[in-house]
């Protein structure tokens, strides 16, 4: 079951990254640089979550620990 969820995460993450890249190119063509930068940052975040999921979970736990204390 773990391998299936890993593959599903990779496939859906890659689709989402491609959609964000297409939106980024469209924003660049319309000269909407704020939208282009937002899509680029979101693409980087999604790529980090997809390709380094263990590191992303650890980072989220550390951030949640700083905000809420050591509840997690």
């Amino acid at each position: 079951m773990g391998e299936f969820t890993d593959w599903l995460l990779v496939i859906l993450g890659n689709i989402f990254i491609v959609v964000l890249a297409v939106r980024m190119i469209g924003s660049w063509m319309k000269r909407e640089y704020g939208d282009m930068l937002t899509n680029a940052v979101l693409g980087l975040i999604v790529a980090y979550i997809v390709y380094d999921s263990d590191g992303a979970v650890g980072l989220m736990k550390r951030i949640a620990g700083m905000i809420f204390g050591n509840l997690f």
Side-chain angles (χ1 to χ4, degrees), residues 34-46:
D35 288 342
M36 183 181 74
L37 183 63
T38 302
N39 287 322
V41 170
L42 287 174
L44 289 173
I45 292 170
V46 171

Side-chain angles (χ1 to χ4, degrees), residues 61 63-72:
K61 285 183 179 180
I63 292 172
M66 286 189 280
I67 294 171
F68 300 112
N70 291 327
L71 297 176
F72 300 104

Side-chain angles (χ1 to χ4, degrees), residues 11-35:
I11 290 170
L12 292 177
N14 284 332
I15 290 171
F16 192 67
I17 291 169
V18 168
V19 168
L20 286 174
V22 168
R23 288 178 48 98
M24 192 173 76
I25 292 169
S27 296
W28 174 70
M29 294 176 85
K30 292 183 203 175
R31 299 187 191 275
E32 295 175 351
Y33 298 114
D35 288 342

